Every structure is written in C-alpha cells, then in structure tokens.
Amino acid sequence: MKASLFLIIFLLSTNSFAFTLNIVTEQFPTYQYLDENGKLVGPSVDKVTAVLAHADVPYQLNVEPWHVAYNAVTRNPETCIFSIGRNNEREDKFNWVFPVGRFTSSFYALKSRHLKLSVLEDALKYRTAVIRNNFSHQYLKENGFTEQEQLVVISSFSKVLEILETRKNQLDLVVLGDSQVQDASKSNKLMQHLEPVLKLDHFDNQLYFACNKSVPEYITDKLMKSFEQLSLLDR
C-alpha cells in the first residue's frame, strides 16, 4: 500500500516537473512590447511572469503576429495566450485564467476625410479594416458587419501602415487599440494623420491570460490561486 502511494506521488510530481506551458502573445503596446534590446516588457508581461513564477510553472514564451498567436492557442494543447479580450465567440473556446488589464478600441479615419460617426450603425456604410481574429473583428461581425460588404481583413497591426500608404482611397476606417495608435504615433508620421471618430465601448474591455482547454486543470488551478494570492498582497 505504501509502495503504491509512493508511486502515485512520484508520478504526479514527475508529470508536474516535466510539463512546460507554451505561451504566445503579440506586440501590443503599451501592455506588452519588445524594447530596444528585443526583450518583451510591459505591465501585462510583469503580471503574467509574476504569476507563473509564484505558481512554479515552467514555460516558454513566443511573440507572434496576432493571427498566428490566436491560431496557436486554438489549435495547440498545452498553450496559453495573453493579452486577449473576452467575447461570445471566444467564451467556450478557452479557460479564462486571470485578468491582466483593460483596453479601449476606436474607429479611426484619416483626418482629411472629415468622417463623423455617432453610433456603431453609422459605420455600416463605410469600408473598415480590422485585424484578423482580433477582438474588434469578431465584435463587428456579431453586430452585422460582413467581410463581403464592410470589412477589410488584414493580418497584423503593421499592415495598417501599408494600407494607409497604398489603399487609402479604397478604405474609410480602421479599428485599432487606442494605446497602439498612441504608441505608433510617436515614431510614424502616417499614424499622426489618423483621428478617432467613435470609441467601441459596449463590451467587456478586460484583457485576460487564457488557455487552451487541453491545458491540465492542475496547472490552471495553480495559476488562478497564485494570481489570487498575489492580488491579496498588492492590496
């Protein structure tokens, strides 16, 4: 009996030690971004790495374009992602482990276009660029926007600049995170030609650390408990 109990404990501890969590994210200033030395930094990174260290969960972290990171966490077991918004389309796909911050997004237009929007429905008569599988892409589809009529789907934030240069006559609006625009405007003059024309504010604007549902429950439980314990220490 004692030998069997020892074997069970040994196997559980060995399994825990052998497990390495795969984590994916994107550059999303100011929440997480690569500094001048190529190191991923930012408040979301600080929170996530603190929880992982407290929970003593080994991990590897990769920075990818959003659509690559999102595909990875939906398809690959033992994978988690941050910072991801929570909506109806995503709700049942992931385990939502802990929050990492809040965000805001807006419709942006070229200042030279003098576009005015009062409500979301006003944007239905325009062509709007969105990042594939981004929160705003899914949110607009939930509210009647289609890729056949209103939406131009792009692969990453960097493509926004390319579109502004080459296709600005075929495009009216772009939906972006406000912090991304503010950060990019510091170094790119093209971004300074954009102005916010309508804030998207009718949804949960919390960002999360979320995991593929194949991540073992004992791992997500450890992370949740560590987040709660660290949150208590911060009060």
Side-chain angles (χ1 to χ4, degrees), residues 120-160:
L120 182 63
E121 289 72 20
D122 290 343
L124 285 167
K125 58 187 176 184
Y126 297 113
R127 294 284 284 169
T128 300
V130 290
I131 298 171
R132 184 177 302 280
N133 285 327
N134 182 276
F135 186 92
S136 56
H137 180 200
Q138 296 173 345
Y139 175 76
L140 292 180
K141 287 199 299 181
E142 289 176 0
N143 284 274
F145 291 72
T146 68
E147 293 173 13
Q148 291 75 28
E149 297 291 333
Q150 294 92 4
L151 300 180
V152 177
V153 181
I154 57 179
S155 60
S156 65
F157 178 76
S158 61
K159 291 292 183 182
V160 173

Side-chain angles (χ1 to χ4, degrees), residues 11 13 16 33-34 43 59 63-65 85 88 136 143-145 149 163 193-194 198 201 207 211 221 224:
L11 289 173
S13 62
S16 177
Y33 58 95
L34 297 173
Y59 67 94
V63 182
E64 306 284 359
N88 293 333
S136 56
N143 284 274
F145 291 72
E149 297 291 333
I163 286 178
H193 294 296
L194 292 177
L198 182 69
D201 56 6
L207 293 167
C211 295
D221 284 348
M224 287 178 183

Side-chain angles (χ1 to χ4, degrees), residues 75-223:
R75 297 174 182 176
N76 300 335
E78 303 180 358
T79 301
C80 298
I81 190 171
F82 74 96
S83 304
I84 183 171
R86 191 170 184 171
N87 60 16
N88 293 333
E89 182 172 335
R90 297 173 178 174
E91 182 65 31
D92 295 330
K93 291 182 178 179
F94 308 112
N95 286 324
W96 302 89
V97 186
F98 58 87
V100 297
R102 292 190 176 276
F103 76 106
T104 59
S105 295
S106 298
F107 282 94
Y108 285 83
L110 287 168
K111 294 176 182 177
S112 59
R113 297 291 301 277
H114 304 293
L115 296 182
K116 301 295 181 184
L117 303 180
S118 298
V119 294
L120 182 63
E121 289 72 20
D122 290 343
L124 285 167
K125 58 187 176 184
Y126 297 113
R127 294 284 284 169
T128 300
V130 290
I131 298 171
R132 184 177 302 280
N133 285 327
N134 182 276
F135 186 92
S136 56
H137 180 200
Q138 296 173 345
Y139 175 76
L140 292 180
K141 287 199 299 181
E142 289 176 0
N143 284 274
F145 291 72
T146 68
E147 293 173 13
Q148 291 75 28
E149 297 291 333
Q150 294 92 4
L151 300 180
V152 177
V153 181
I154 57 179
S155 60
S156 65
F157 178 76
S158 61
K159 291 292 183 182
V160 173
L161 303 178
E162 180 182 317
I163 286 178
L164 288 175
E165 286 186 300
T166 63
R167 298 174 60 186
K168 60 184 178 183
N169 293 328
Q170 304 171 32
L171 198 66
D172 303 301
L173 301 163
V174 59
V175 178
L176 297 169
D178 295 321
S179 65
Q180 286 179 301
V181 174
Q182 292 167 11
D183 182 77
S185 296
K186 298 174 185 176
S187 58
N188 194 296
K189 292 183 178 180
L190 271 176
M191 299 300 292
Q192 297 171 10
H193 294 296
L194 292 177
E195 63 177 351
V197 291
L198 182 69
K199 188 177 293 291
L200 297 177
D201 56 6
H202 297 292
F203 53 78
D204 177 9
N205 65 349
Q206 185 71 257
L207 293 167
Y208 289 86
F209 181 94
C211 295
N212 184 293
K213 288 195 169 182
S214 295
V215 172
E217 187 176 352
Y218 78 90
I219 293 291
T220 54
D221 284 348
K222 286 178 69 175
L223 294 173

